[in-house]
């Protein structure tokens, strides 16, 4: 039997309390590096049991797999938009937004590499993470994020829209290449 006065019990209790404390609202977006994180839960169940490291390894194991890279990127864009809106309403943590931002950068790099494998250039979208960061970082540190949601979301959508337009523009060229394979 563990006694409340037992020092090991107090250490466990202190550790539990630290984990239960809410995280600070201030968020610094980390530069995209290889980060291990828990599995992403997606609304449609795709890749819900695959960790980020497994996704990167899996994607890098098949260079030039454009459909998979684009699908993963589009799902991340969708999840990031949803997560940002939920964060502004106080329904999710800033940590989840940051993790999806990092995942977006990694998925974007995988997609760019997949297109480059087939000599298709989409390098103009390399600035998407930086552009997104310039909108997100000041907003995530603001005291009233919900009040500025109607102003910030169009800015975020504009950055993501540029990415989607570039992917759409390459679709015809990709279809021509995939028909030859």
């Amino acid at each position: 039997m563990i006694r409340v006065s037992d020092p090991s019990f107090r250490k466990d209790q202190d550790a539990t309390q630290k984990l239960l404390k809410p995280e600070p609202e201030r968020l610094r977006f980390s530069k995209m590096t290889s980060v291990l994180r828990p599995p992403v839960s997606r609304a449609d169940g795709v890749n819900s049991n695959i960790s980020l490291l497994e996704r990167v390894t899996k994607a890098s194991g098949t260079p030039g797999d454009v459909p998979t890279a684009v699908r993963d990127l589009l799902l991340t864009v969708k999840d990031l938009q949803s997560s940002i809106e939920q964060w502004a309403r106080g329904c999710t943590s800033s940590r989840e937004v940051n993790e999806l931002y990092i995942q977006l950068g990694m998925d974007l790099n995988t997609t760019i590499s997949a297109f480059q494998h087939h000599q298709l250039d989409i390098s103009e979208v390399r600035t998407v993470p930086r552009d997104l960061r310039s909108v997100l970082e000041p907003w995530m540190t603001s005291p009233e994020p919900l009040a500025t949601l109607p102003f910030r979301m169009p800015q975020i959508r504009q950055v993501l829209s540029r990415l989607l337009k570039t992917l759409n523009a390459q679709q015809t060229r990709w279809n021509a290449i995939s028909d030859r394979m």
Side-chain angles (χ1 to χ4, degrees):
M1 175 179 238
I2 298 176
R3 295 177 186 240
V4 176
S5 61
D6 184 12
S8 64
F9 178 77
R10 288 197 184 273
K11 284 182 186 176
D12 290 342
Q13 190 177 21
D14 291 342
T16 303
Q17 290 301 319
K18 285 180 184 176
L19 289 174
L20 295 177
K21 283 184 182 177
E23 63 183 13
E25 283 302 311
R26 182 172 168 85
L27 174 70
R28 284 272 318 149
F29 282 91
S30 58
K31 294 191 179 193
M32 282 165 277
T33 57
S34 58
V35 175
L36 297 176
R37 64 181 209 78
V40 177
S41 63
R42 298 190 182 271
D44 57 6
V46 175
N47 291 334
S48 62
N49 295 321
I50 301 175
S51 72
L52 183 57
L53 180 62
E54 290 169 329
R55 283 186 61 212
V56 170
T57 304
K58 183 178 178 184
S60 64
T62 55
D65 188 0
V66 172
T68 300
V70 170
R71 183 198 70 218
D72 288 347
L73 179 60
L74 293 176
L75 288 172
T76 301
V77 166
K78 178 182 171 188
D79 288 349
L80 181 61
Q81 280 186 299
S82 174
S83 183
I84 289 168
E85 289 175 0
Q86 290 174 356
W87 170 81
R89 290 179 173 85
C91 299
T92 192
S93 70
S94 57
R95 171 183 253 166
E96 183 176 334
V97 174
N98 190 36
E99 288 173 354
L100 287 167
Y101 168 80
I102 292 169
Q103 184 176 345
L104 174 80
M106 296 179 90
D107 287 348
L108 183 62
N109 289 337
T110 301
T111 302
I112 291 170
S113 296
F115 274 100
Q116 284 176 342
H117 182 79
H118 299 285
Q119 285 76 41
L120 295 172
D121 183 31
I122 61 166
S123 59
E124 66 267 16
V125 298
R126 286 194 189 277
T127 62
V128 166
R130 183 186 43 180
D131 298 343
L132 196 55
R133 182 179 182 165
S134 69
V135 175
L136 284 174
E137 199 166 59
W139 184 36
M140 301 285 288
T141 58
S142 70
E144 292 292 327
L146 186 57
T148 58
L149 179 65
F151 172 70
R152 297 291 184 168
M153 281 311 290
Q155 292 176 327
I156 291 168
R157 286 190 184 111
Q158 183 179 16
V159 171
L160 296 176
S161 175
R162 192 179 82 234
L163 167 65
L164 298 176
K165 285 178 183 175
T166 301
L167 292 174
N168 194 30
Q170 292 295 336
Q171 184 174 6
T172 305
R173 292 179 66 200
W174 164 248
N175 288 338
I177 289 172
S178 65
D179 287 344
R180 288 183 275 170
M181 297 189 327

